[in-house]
Amino acid sequence: MQRKTFKTSDGDQLSYISAGRGKPIVLLHGWSQSAEQFKYQIPVFAEHYHTIAVDLRGHGESEKVSFGYRISRLSKDIQELIGALQLEKPHLLGHSMGCAIIWSYLDLFGLDEIDQLVLVDQSPLGTLRSHWNAQEIAESGTVFTAEQLNAAVHTLENGNAEELTRNILTSMVTPAMSTEQFEWIVECNQRLPRALAKPTVGNRYDAAIQPSSYGLARSNCQDSSANPDYWWQKKYYSVAIAGLNQSKHS
């Protein structure tokens, strides 16, 4: 497993982990997280695939530039990385915001250069609309009202950003997680400066998946409704591996 770097067309240096050989799969983490948080999955994937886990712009060990934190730019970063590494029709796996980046990729670049998708723990839309009825809210899978999103952005800028980060992370993981592991996750998240976390979370939840992309994603992905008890463990992504392998024979 090696750490490498790649420079984007607008001059940002991204860090990524590369391991294994074979068919490429690119792992995209969620908001404020890092490639290192795939540490349990990378060795398992690397038994079957050339596995690339990217620290998104400003996250993890990537350069902390002050620009380019829109979802569309993050998807452009991935498109450029795929081209620079000459990855032939890679699989894409996204967790949380990583899914939003994949959907933006589909809008901008299509699926011609991508094989399979694995979408983990992300609804098609993150911010509910005030005029929706209860059924529409349930079907959308939204997690924030516009007011809650604005409050989160304000807290990241002016309030107790670490407390907000901890509250968000607590909602994402199983209660059985050890304190030591949870604190490690918090530390990984804090590598993205909170000032840079603000525009990223705002753009991430304000972006809706387009109907055309949703159709493409449904036809070309393995369903991965995340079980929080498996998210930080090898078992969950072993299921994803099985899904990718099985898709070749179905």
Side-chain angles (χ1 to χ4, degrees), residues 35 37 41 51 65 92 123 144 148 169 183 186 198 201 203 215 218 222 224 248:
Q37 289 180 240
Q41 291 80 44
T51 303
V65 294
L92 297 182
S123 60
F144 279 124
Q148 289 170 326
L169 292 174
E183 290 302 323
V186 171
K198 176 178 70 74
V201 72
N203 290 318
R218 284 176 60 85
Q222 301 301 316
S224 302
K248 294 301 182 181

Side-chain angles (χ1 to χ4, degrees), residues 22-192:
K23 176 78 174 180
I25 181 168
V26 180
L27 311 183
L28 305 178
H29 60 74
W31 170 77
S32 191
Q33 297 169 21
S34 70
E36 191 176 339
Q37 289 180 240
F38 288 112
K39 68 178 182 179
Y40 295 119
Q41 291 80 44
I42 292 171
V44 181
F45 272 129
E47 295 175 4
H48 304 269
Y49 301 100
H50 176 199
T51 303
I52 296 145
V54 185
D55 278 334
L56 299 173
R57 178 178 297 239
H59 295 68
E61 296 186 18
S62 288
E63 187 178 359
K64 314 306 182 201
V65 294
S66 60
F67 54 87
Y69 290 94
R70 291 189 176 276
I71 296 297
S72 56
R73 179 63 238 191
L74 300 182
S75 66
K76 175 63 174 172
D77 291 347
I78 300 308
Q79 187 255 357
E80 291 179 0
L81 176 67
I82 290 171
L85 300 185
Q86 299 182 327
L87 304 180
E88 185 175 351
K89 290 188 73 71
H91 303 309
L92 297 182
L93 182 152
H95 168 247
S96 193
M97 188 180 77
C99 297
I101 293 169
I102 290 174
W103 293 328
S104 177
Y105 183 105
L106 302 186
D107 275 341
L108 293 172
F109 310 113
L111 268 174
D112 290 346
E113 301 303 319
I114 302 300
D115 195 339
Q116 297 288 310
L117 307 177
V118 181
L119 307 174
V120 182
D121 201 17
Q122 176 58 46
S123 60
L125 185 62
T127 309
L128 64 84
R129 304 303 187 239
S130 59
H131 63 276
W132 285 350
N133 60 37
Q135 181 178 350
E136 289 172 321
I137 292 173
E139 289 176 348
S140 73
T142 54
V143 295
F144 279 124
T145 65
E147 292 77 13
Q148 289 170 326
L149 176 61
N150 288 334
V153 171
H154 178 78
T155 300
L156 286 171
E157 185 173 22
N158 302 300
N160 191 335
E162 181 174 347
E163 181 181 358
L164 174 67
T165 302
R166 286 178 176 275
N167 290 339
I168 292 173
L169 292 174
T170 298
S171 71
M172 294 172 57
V173 301
T174 172
M177 176 175 287
S178 69
T179 300
E180 180 182 7
Q181 190 171 28
F182 182 76
E183 290 302 323
W184 170 76
I185 295 172
V186 171
E187 190 275 325
C188 286
N189 275 252
Q190 298 283 17
R191 294 176 194 170
L192 172 67

